[in-house]
């Protein structure tokens, strides 16, 4: 079955550490996205990529970095510059030319600073 | 900058009652999506609305889009407890390489017996 796989499901980060969240899709979607969700809030866009080797900053990119070396993969690194990283992170993908197909979301990674 | 506003933010309703959630957005768009989220879970796609006047129905939920008013509604008919969740609308105001979703703040729905 096609879908998006995020790992790990839970992640704990110490102060000053960089951590990387994985997002893999086998839907043959062109575009991939990272969103952050804080408790009781909506989703905010961190980074997005429409094609391989290209990506754009979203609304809250500071303290995060991404890469898009393969169509299937869009990992997100939370750097030590992100001062308040505790949140629920969701990865999504879509087909650029098929808006009616909508956006598919992964199951999420819950990141906690310890 | 695109703004997406939902109201109400919280809705407590009795089983069997009807209610409507509103989603207003600030920029021209004809692509609007509704999602459901259960506590601690990811987003489940409910409706994709891609033109002015679009109406979609699934069970007790019906969504509509008025692009001229920049308004979408999610109507709940005869609510049941299983509909308790948070509902988000999201707008895609981009084209081609700029396509991306901007989310509303969500409406937390609680259906009581």
């Amino acid at each position: 079955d096609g879908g998006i796989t995020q790992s790990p499901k839970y992640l704990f980060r110490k102060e000053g550490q960089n951590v990387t969240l994985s997002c893999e899709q086998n839907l043959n979607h062109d575009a991939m996205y990272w969103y952050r969700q804080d408790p009781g809030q909506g989703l905010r866009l961190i980074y997005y990529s429409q094609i391989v080797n290209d990506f754009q900053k979203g609304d809250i990119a500071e303290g995060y970095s991404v890469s898009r070396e393969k169509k299937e993969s869009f990992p997100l690194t939370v750097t030590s510059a992100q001062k308040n990283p505790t949140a629920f992170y969701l990865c999504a993908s879509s087909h650029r030319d098929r808006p009616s197909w909508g956006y598919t979301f992964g199951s999420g990674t819950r990141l906690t600073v310890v | 900058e695109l703004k997406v506003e939902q109201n109400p933010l919280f809705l407590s309703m009795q089983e069997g009652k009807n209610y409507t959630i509103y989603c207003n957005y600030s920029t021209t768009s004809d692509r609007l999506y509704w999602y459901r989220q259960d506590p601690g879970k990811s987003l489940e796609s409910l409706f994709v609305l891609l033109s002015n006047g679009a109406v979609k129905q699934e069970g007790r939920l019906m969504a509509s889009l008025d692009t001229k008013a920049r308004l979408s509604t999610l109507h709940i008919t005869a609510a049941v407890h299983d509909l308790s969740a948070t509902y988000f609308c999201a707008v895609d105001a981009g084209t081609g390489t700029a396509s991306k979703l901007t989310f509303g703040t969500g409406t937390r729905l609680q259906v009581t017996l």
Side-chain angles (χ1 to χ4, degrees):
Chain A
D1 286 340
I4 296 184
T5 302
Q6 287 188 244
S7 62
K9 190 171 182 177
Y10 299 97
L11 186 57
F12 298 91
R13 192 194 93 165
K14 293 182 180 179
E15 295 282 353
Q17 263 187 343
N18 291 354
V19 292
T20 297
L21 284 59
S22 171
C23 178
E24 304 273 337
Q25 54 98 0
N26 60 2
L27 300 164
N28 199 32
H29 283 172
D30 312 291
M32 298 186 74
Y33 310 81
W34 274 105
Y35 287 90
R36 168 180 172 144
Q37 186 178 31
D38 292 285
Q41 312 235 347
L43 280 69
R44 292 182 290 168
L45 183 63
I46 305 172
Y47 269 99
Y48 62 108
S49 168
Q50 300 287 333
I51 55 173
V52 175
N53 292 323
D54 188 42
F55 48 83
Q56 288 78 39
K57 293 182 179 180
D59 301 317
I60 55 166
E62 185 175 349
Y64 299 97
S65 66
V66 294
S67 63
R68 186 86 186 275
E69 297 177 1
K70 299 186 299 182
K71 187 176 185 178
E72 302 79 18
S73 178
F74 192 41
L76 173 73
T77 297
V78 185
T79 74
S80 57
Q82 172 50 241
K83 297 306 178 189
N84 185 21
T86 294
F88 188 46
Y89 291 85
L90 285 163
C91 179
S93 71
S94 70
H95 194 301
R96 262 192 322 175
D97 300 322
R98 298 284 188 270
S100 61
W101 293 4
Y103 291 66
T104 302
F105 283 82
S107 57
T109 293
R110 195 166 298 279
L111 174 62
T112 304
V113 174
V114 295
Chain B
E1 182 188 347
L2 172 60
K3 300 283 187 189
V4 182
E5 294 183 349
Q6 283 182 241
N7 69 83
L9 297 182
F10 179 73
L11 177 57
S12 179
M13 56 191 298
Q14 288 183 316
E15 277 200 335
K17 299 293 187 182
N18 303 335
Y19 209 85
T20 300
I21 298 171
Y22 296 89
C23 174
N24 290 90
Y25 55 97
S26 61
T27 304
T28 301
S29 174
D30 57 3
R31 288 183 284 180
L32 190 138
Y33 303 81
W34 283 96
Y35 292 91
R36 167 183 172 142
Q37 185 179 39
D38 292 299
K41 303 293 186 182
S42 185
L43 300 183
E44 174 191 350
S45 179
L46 294 175
F47 299 108
V48 178
L49 303 169
L50 299 178
S51 62
N52 186 39
V55 178
K56 296 256 181 102
Q57 183 165 5
E58 181 74 33
R60 301 173 187 275
L61 300 178
M62 183 173 72
S64 66
L65 178 61
D66 181 342
T67 59
K68 294 179 181 177
R70 298 177 186 171
L71 171 68
S72 180
T73 61
L74 181 66
H75 186 72
I76 302 154
T77 302
V80 293
H81 182 69
D82 285 352
L83 290 179
S84 296
T86 299
Y87 293 84
F88 291 97
C89 65
V91 178
D92 186 345
T95 56
T97 59
S99 291
K100 56 183 176 175
L101 288 180
T102 299
F103 282 81
T105 48
T107 296
R108 186 177 158 214
L109 172 66
Q110 184 177 64
V111 181
T112 58
L113 297 173

